[in-house]
C-alpha cells in the first residue's frame, strides 16, 4: 500500500546515503569561499512579495508564474524566496553595510523555491550557493566572480567547463535592442508559442530565454539574430572588453553567447552562465551577472554589484552521474561491553565521543550480538570491556582492519585509538602477495 503522504510534487527528501555527497560538496565550497575572502550571510526564507516583484522584474517567469506567494495571519503579502540576491541586498541596505566598508563579499547557501514544472534537474524546492561582491563597479570584480564561479566547480572535480558570457548593457540600450528583436522576429511572430508572443509584447529579450523547441526551430529559419553587443554604449563596451581581457589573463575558458539574457531583470552589463552536457543545453548549472541598478531600485544609494548562484541539486546530479567518489566517513570505534561492565561503558563511551565517532549498543544485547554489529559497523577499532581486564584498569583494542589486538591501560586508550584510526588500513592483497613471494624465495 502506498503511504498516505508523499513529499509534495517538485520536492525531495535527501536521505543519509545521499547526504554524504552534499555535505562533502558544501564543505569544499566553504573552503574555497573562505580563501576568496567571502563571509556568510543568512537571510529569511521569506520576504515581502514586493521585494521580489521589484527586483526580479514583473514580466519575468519567476514573478509571473513561479512565486510561492502567500498571506500570513496578519494579512502580510509574503513570498518564499525564489533566489537570494534580493534578500541579501535588502539586508545590506537595512543594516547599512555600505557605510561600514566599501566592498563586501557575501555568500549564502540554502533552499529557494520556484513553482515550475518539475523534471530532471528542475525542482520546486532546490538549493543554491549564492555569492555577491557588492560595492565595486570595476571589471576586475566581474572577473574575480567568474573565476570564483569556475573554481567552485573545479574544486568539486568538474573539468573543461566553458562559461558563456554576454553583456546585457543598460535598460536604455536594452530597450533599443528589444525593438531590433521585434523586427527580427516579425516574420514568424504568429508562429511563436503563446508564451513567446506575450513576451514579445511585454519584454522581447525574454523571448530569447524560451525553452520551447518550436520557437528555437523558428529562430533557426531567420537570418542572423541582432546582437545585444551591437546595441550597448561606449562605457559598457569598454567594461565588456576589460572583462574579456581579465578572463583571458585569469585563464578562464569562455564563449560569447549572444542569446544569453538571464531569467531575472536586474542585470546590467556582464551576464554569465555555465552548462553541462549531462543536463542538456536548456538547463544551466549556475549563472549570474552584474546588477548595478538593484540597490537603487530598493531605495538605496547607487551601489554596483556582481554575483552568481550555483544550483547545488544540478551540480550533485552531474557528479552522481559521473560516479565521482565521495570520501568515506571517518573510521570509528565500536565499544562492546559485558553485563558487568555496561555501566562503566556508558561513561567511557561518553568520554571517547568527545574525540572519536563511537558506536555502542544501547539495547544491552549479549556479547555475541555486539561482536556481529561491530563487524557490520565499518568501525576500524573495537574496544572490548571484559570484566577481568576492566578490574585491572585495562581494555582490549582490536584493529578490525589489520586483524591484530592488544591490551591497553585505560589511560592510554585515547592515544592508542588515535594512532589506530590515523593508520592506513593494510592492503590485504599486497600483504598476501608479499607472503606468497616470501614462500617462493625461501
Ligand atoms: P538563476 O539563474 O535564476 O540566478 O539561478 C541560478 C541557478 O539555480 C541556475 O543556474 C540553476 O542551476 C539553479 N536553478 C534555478 N531554478 C532551478 C530549479 N527549478 N531546480 C533546480 N535548480 C534550479 C539566480 O538565482 C540569481 N540570484 C543569481 C545571481 C546572484 N545573480 C547575481 N547574484
Amino acid at each position: 500500500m502506498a503511504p498516505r503522504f508523499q513529499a509534495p510534487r517538485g520536492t525531495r527528501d535527501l536521505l543519509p546515503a545521499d547526504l554524504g555527497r552534499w555535505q562533502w560538496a558544501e564543505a569544499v565550497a566553504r573552503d574555497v569561499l573562505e580563501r576568496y575572502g567571502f563571509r556568510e550571510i543568512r537571510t529569511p526564507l521569506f520576504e515581502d512579495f514586493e521585494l521580489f516583484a521589484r527586483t526580479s522584474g514583473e514580466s519575468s517567469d519567476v514573478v509571473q508564474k513561479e512565486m510561492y506567494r502567500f498571506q500570513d495571519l496578519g494579512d502580510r503579502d509574503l513570498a518564499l524566496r525564489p533566489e537570494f540576491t534580493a534578500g541579501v541586498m535588502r539586508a545590506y541596505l537595512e543594516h547599512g553595510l555600505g557605510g561600514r566598508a566599501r566592498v563586501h563579499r557575501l555568500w549564502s547557501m540554502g533552499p529557494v523555491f520556484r513553482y515550475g514544472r518539475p523534471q530532471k534537474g528542475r525542482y520546486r524546492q532546490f538549493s543554491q550557493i549564492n555569492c555577491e561582491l557588492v560595492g565595486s563597479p570595476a571589471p576586475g570584480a566581474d572577473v574575480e566572480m567568474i573565476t570564483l564561479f569556475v573554481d567552485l566547480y573545479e574544486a568539486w572535480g568538474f573539468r573543461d567547463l566553458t562559461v558563456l558570457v554576454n553583456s546585457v548593457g543598460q535598460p536604455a540600450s536594452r530597450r533599443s535592442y528589444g525593438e531590433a528583436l521585434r523586427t527580427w522576429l516579425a516574420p514568424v511572430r504568429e508562429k511563436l508559442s503563446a508564451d513567446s508572443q506575450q513576451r514579445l509584447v511585454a519584454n522581447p529579450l525574454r523571448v530569447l530565454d524560451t525553452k520551447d523547441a518550436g520557437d528555437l526551430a523558428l529562430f533557426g529559419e531567420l537570418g542572423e539574430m541582432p546582437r545585444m553587443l551591437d546595441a550597448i554604449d561606449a562605457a559598457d563596451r569598454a567594461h565588456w572588453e576589460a572583462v574579456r581581457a581579465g578572463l583571458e589573463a585569469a585563464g578562464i575558458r569562455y564563449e560569447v553567447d549572444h542569446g544569453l539574457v538571464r531569467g531575472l531583470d536586474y542585470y546590467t552589463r556582464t551576464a554569465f552562465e555555465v552548462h553541462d552536457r549531462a543536463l542538456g543545453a536548456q538547463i544551466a548549472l549556475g549563472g549570474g551577472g552584474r546588477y548595478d541598478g538593484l540597490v537603487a531600485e530598493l531605495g538605496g544609494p547607487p551601489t554596483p554589484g556582481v554575483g552568481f548562484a550555483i544550483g547545488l541539486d544540478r551540480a550533485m546530479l552531474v557528479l552522481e552521474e559521473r560516479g565521482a567518489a565521495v570520501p568515506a566517513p571517518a573510521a570509528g570505534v565500536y565499544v562492546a561491553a559485558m553485563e558487568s561492565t555496561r555501566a562503566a561503558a556508558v561513561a567511557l563511551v561518553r568520554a571517547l565521543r568527545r574525540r572519536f565517532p563511537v558506536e555502542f549498543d544501547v539495547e544491552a544485547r549479549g556479547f555475541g550480538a555486539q561482536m556481529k554489529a561491530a563487524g557490520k559497523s565499518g568501525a576500524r577499532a573495537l574496544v572490548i570491556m571484559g570484566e577481568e581486564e576492566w578490574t585491572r584498569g585495562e581494555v582490549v583494542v582490536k584493529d578490525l582492519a589489520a586483524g591484530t589486538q592488544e591490551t591497553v591501560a585505560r589511560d592510554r586508550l585515547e592515544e592508542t585509538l588515535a594512532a589506530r584510526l590515523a593508520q592506513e588500513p593494510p592492503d590485504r592483497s599486497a600483504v598476501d602477495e608479499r607472503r606468497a613471494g616470501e614462500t617462493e624465495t625461501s
Side-chain angles (χ1 to χ4, degrees), residues 229-274:
L229 287 175
D230 296 329
I232 64 179
D233 66 23
D236 287 352
R237 174 159 300 282
H239 187 92
W240 166 249
E241 297 298 345
V243 171
R244 289 187 62 164
L247 291 177
E248 271 145 40
I252 301 290
R253 281 216 331 224
Y254 72 91
E255 266 171 28
V256 179
D257 179 348
H258 297 287
L260 179 68
V261 290
R262 310 277 300 123
L264 302 156
D265 274 359
Y266 48 63
Y267 292 107
T268 52
R269 297 188 161 172
T270 317
F272 54 94
E273 272 181 8
V274 58

Side-chain angles (χ1 to χ4, degrees), residues 257-327:
D257 179 348
H258 297 287
L260 179 68
V261 290
R262 310 277 300 123
L264 302 156
D265 274 359
Y266 48 63
Y267 292 107
T268 52
R269 297 188 161 172
T270 317
F272 54 94
E273 272 181 8
V274 58
H275 294 248
D276 189 277
R277 269 172 290 116
L279 293 168
Q282 296 304 311
I283 288 196
L285 268 183
R290 182 166 273 290
Y291 48 86
D292 292 346
L294 195 151
V295 175
E297 182 65 42
L298 297 179
T303 309
V306 51
F308 63 80
I310 286 177
L312 257 178
D313 306 72
R314 293 181 182 177
M316 292 306 102
L317 207 63
V318 173
L319 287 179
E320 203 180 320
E321 280 189 10
R322 305 238 158 101
V326 174

Side-chain angles (χ1 to χ4, degrees), residues 177-189 200 207-208 215-216 218-226:
Y177 177 62
E179 281 314 314
L181 272 183
R182 280 198 184 107
T183 313
W184 182 65
L185 289 164
V188 295
R189 200 179 56 203
L200 199 56
V207 180
L208 298 184
D215 287 351
L216 295 171
L218 285 173
F219 295 172
E221 289 172 19
L222 296 168
E224 205 178 327
M225 184 179 76

Side-chain angles (χ1 to χ4, degrees), residues 10 12 56 62 66 82-86 89 112-133 145 149 153 262-264 266-267 272-275 279 283-291 294 305-315:
R12 300 181 300 158
S56 298
V62 167
E66 299 183 345
E83 58 118 32
F84 278 95
T85 312
M89 301 320 290
V112 284
F113 306 85
R114 294 184 193 175
Y115 187 82
R117 201 166 59 78
Q119 62 182 86
K120 180 182 172 191
R122 197 180 294 283
Y123 310 102
R124 290 181 175 168
Q125 175 178 328
F126 57 98
S127 288
Q128 287 187 341
I129 293 183
N130 187 81
C131 302
E132 312 289 358
L133 194 160
M145 290 308 275
F149 186 57
Y153 290 107
R262 310 277 300 123
L264 302 156
Y266 48 63
Y267 292 107
F272 54 94
E273 272 181 8
V274 58
H275 294 248
L279 293 168
I283 288 196
L285 268 183
R290 182 166 273 290
Y291 48 86
L294 195 151
V306 51
F308 63 80
I310 286 177
L312 257 178
D313 306 72
R314 293 181 182 177

